[in-house]
Amino acid sequence: MSTKHVVIYITGGIAVYKAAQLVREFVKAGAQVKVAMTDAAQTFVSPQTFAVLTKNPVYTDFSANQQREFVSHIELADWTDIAVVVPATANIIAKMALGIADTFVSTALLATAAPKYVIPAMNEKMWQNAATKRNLATLKNDGIAVMEPAEGFLAEGYSGKGRMPEPLDIFKWINNLSAEKQDLAGRKVLISAGPTVEPIDPVRYLSNHSSGKMGYALANAAAKRGAEVTLVSGPTRLTKPAGVKFIQIQAAAELQETMEKNFSKSDIVIMAAAVSDYHVDQVAPQKIKKNGQDLELHLVSNPDILAGLGQIKKGQILVGFAAETENLLANGNKKLQKKNLDLLVLNDVSRTDIGFNAEDNEVRLLRARREPRLIAKSSKDQIANQIFDEILNLA
Ligand SMILES: Cc1cc2nc3c(=O)[nH]c(=O)nc-3n(C[C@H](O)[C@H](O)[C@H](O)COP(=O)(O)O)c2cc1C
């Protein structure tokens, strides 16, 4: 928790006073905490309480604050590793479900891409209302974690469901859900990513549109889950993932040599690089001058690196990627078998909203003698984690 930036959004329920204790739990655990409050929340407890506990000014509206953030809702959203809404009123739950951005709190929440944790607290009748149930189902469907309220004595003077759970229980719930799994600890993972670049002459080359995002997401995910990661990458614009051994390559031949050299000491090998199928037979030693004539290049087939690794495999889990535009499953299954793979990640590159260069992807995971598993459209980071979940199922 000590490295985390936690933003606590406090909305106007009677349980606001208990949020102070939760803020203390996060501060005690070493997190950096910032608080934002709705107008209704401020009628229950003064922002000063939270400013003192967090040693940070409290966000109450859009005006430039003491930190001189002029677009403060976006700055706060970008700073966030974890967003917690506590106590979450029926009102903020409805706004989050609909994407309403009419106050600082609702706008910053809409702008936040980090994981969100919602702790509803309200009167039992509001909790039971069909609209609240519908809105909570929408939040869960959007990937937001919702904590069940406790049953017990309500502020209204009777017992029922809707009570905010105890701050320490909330802290433990969030801590458990947000902890990075270390289930790849001790595994050596070798990943190739990005395009290869086949030279024509000293200034020109043949390549492809691979951004490297999927391979880098895999390297990041594996490193976070405790693996010892080697990333072999063609040229990309991406930042090298932290805590990863990085090897830069250019041509397919160099990629092949590097992968084969590192293969025997790896447990899991993933070929996510988009390897050129051909290279230029005779690379010109000097820049080819234009002379008004057409130019013919003789292209020679590159070796199938993945199939080669499949042949020398001894206990490694070998994962390939396939980009197909037609007969997806039939072509994918053929590759799985022919290349002796344990898992094939199948991309439909006929779609422009996923795959090459896109932020999101939608893939099918193919395994021998199993039904293909569809991973619905989601971020490449999420897909990467699902691929490792599947790999761990294989092992
Ligand atoms: C004394 C009092 C207690 C309230 N307690 C709750 C509550 O526990 N949960 C809730 O959803 N709304 C509660 N409300 C109603 C909210 O304050 C109201 O819906 C408000 O518009 C919420 O605004 P916000 O979501 O922007 O904070 C309470 C109102 C009052 C006056």
Side-chain angles (χ1 to χ4, degrees):
M1 188 54 75
S2 60
T3 56
K4 294 249 156 78
H5 291 174
V6 179
V7 181
I8 303 201
Y9 291 92
I10 301 178
T11 61
I14 191 71
V16 168
Y17 71 97
K18 286 200 209 166
Q21 189 60 39
L22 181 64
V23 168
R24 268 185 59 82
E25 296 295 345
F26 279 108
V27 171
K28 255 189 349 202
Q32 292 187 54
V33 183
K34 293 185 179 179
V35 167
M37 297 177 81
T38 60
D39 288 351
Q42 292 168 61
T43 64
F44 292 93
V45 175
S46 151
Q48 203 176 355
T49 306
F50 296 102
V52 173
L53 288 174
T54 60
K55 299 193 172 56
N56 277 315
V58 171
Y59 295 79
T60 51
D61 58 35
F62 288 99
S63 57
N65 58 18
Q66 291 165 33
Q67 296 178 347
R68 302 196 147 270
E69 295 169 343
F70 291 98
V71 192
S72 47
H73 58 291
I74 302 296
E75 299 214 16
L76 185 63
D78 289 347
W79 182 85
T80 309
D81 291 326
I82 289 177
V84 183
V85 189
V86 63
T89 54
N91 181 49
I92 194 68
I93 289 166
K95 287 184 188 177
M96 288 175 78
L98 285 171
I100 290 175
D102 64 340
T103 61
F104 179 86
V105 164
S106 57
T107 309
L109 279 168
L110 190 64
T112 299
K116 298 184 192 108
Y117 301 84
V118 168
I119 296 97
M122 64 195 72
N123 171 273
E124 190 177 25
K125 296 195 182 81
M126 292 167 81
W127 174 252
Q128 297 295 357
N129 188 290
T132 305
K133 285 188 182 160
R134 211 167 42 237
N135 292 331
L136 284 165
T138 303
L139 295 195
K140 288 180 191 165
N141 215 19
D142 291 345
I144 296 173
V146 177
M147 192 173 186
E148 274 296 292
E151 273 185 56
F153 190 71
L154 300 173
E156 291 77 4
Y158 53 86
S159 207
K161 187 157 180 178
R163 204 179 132 82
M164 180 171 140
E166 291 314 306
L168 191 57
D169 293 335
I170 298 172
F171 176 76
K172 285 184 189 158
W173 175 74
I174 295 170
N175 214 5
N176 270 341
L177 287 182
S178 65
E180 299 289 356
K181 291 181 269 186
Q182 291 292 299
D183 51 4
L184 288 170
R187 308 277 184 122
K188 294 192 174 71
V189 179
L190 175 65
I191 300 169
S192 71
T196 61
V197 167
E198 309 295 335
I200 298 172
D201 68 14
V203 295
R204 302 184 180 91
Y205 58 82
L206 296 173
S207 192
N208 59 59
H209 286 301
S210 166
S211 64
K213 283 178 193 159
M214 193 63 238
Y216 279 55
L218 285 160
N220 262 320
K224 280 193 186 156
R225 289 168 73 160
E228 199 180 302
V229 182
T230 303
L231 176 63
V232 184
S233 173
T236 73
R237 292 165 185 271
L238 304 173
T239 316
K240 290 178 198 167
V244 160
K245 182 178 171 203
F246 186 85
I247 304 175
Q248 177 80 59
I249 54 96
Q250 300 288 331
E254 206 184 337
L255 176 63
Q256 182 182 26
E257 196 191 318
T258 313
M259 293 304 282
E260 287 178 357
K261 200 169 126 200
N262 286 279
F263 189 72
S264 63
K265 42 186 176 193
S266 306
D267 304 308
I268 299 167
V269 179
I270 308 178
M271 275 290 288
V275 186
S276 307
D277 289 328
Y278 299 94
H279 67 272
V280 178
D281 187 15
Q282 298 287 334
V283 178
Q286 306 297 334
K287 184 180 169 198
I288 299 170
K289 294 256 184 286
K290 70 168 177 252
N291 58 8
Q293 305 285 304
D294 292 345
L295 174 71
E296 273 187 26
L297 291 174
H298 183 228
L299 301 182
V300 183
S301 204
N302 274 332
D304 186 330
I305 302 176
L306 185 58
L309 297 176
Q311 278 169 15
I312 58 169
K313 184 167 95 164
K314 282 197 190 80
Q316 288 90 349
I317 292 176
L318 185 59
V319 182
F321 273 72
E324 299 284 346
T325 52
E326 55 183 359
N327 298 332
L328 258 63
L329 290 179
N331 287 337
N333 275 317
K334 242 187 257 165
K335 272 191 187 157
L336 183 75
Q337 221 176 4
K338 212 173 110 204
K339 301 192 183 194
N340 194 19
L341 307 181
D342 299 284
L343 185 69
L344 185 81
V345 185
L346 195 58
N347 270 306
D348 179 354
V349 283
S350 64
R351 286 173 54 176
T352 52
D353 58 330
I354 53 171
F356 266 3
N357 257 316
E359 290 307 320
D360 287 339
N361 210 351
E362 178 179 293
V363 299
R364 285 182 174 78
L365 302 184
L366 303 193
R367 284 166 64 173
R369 296 175 298 280
R370 290 279 181 109
E371 279 295 300
R373 194 180 133 209
L374 175 74
I375 304 182
K377 188 176 165 187
S378 40
S379 75
K380 288 185 173 172
D381 287 339
Q382 284 167 328
I383 302 250
N385 272 310
Q386 301 239 26
I387 290 173
F388 282 113
D389 289 347
E390 189 76 18
I391 289 172
L392 286 169
N393 271 338
L394 281 164

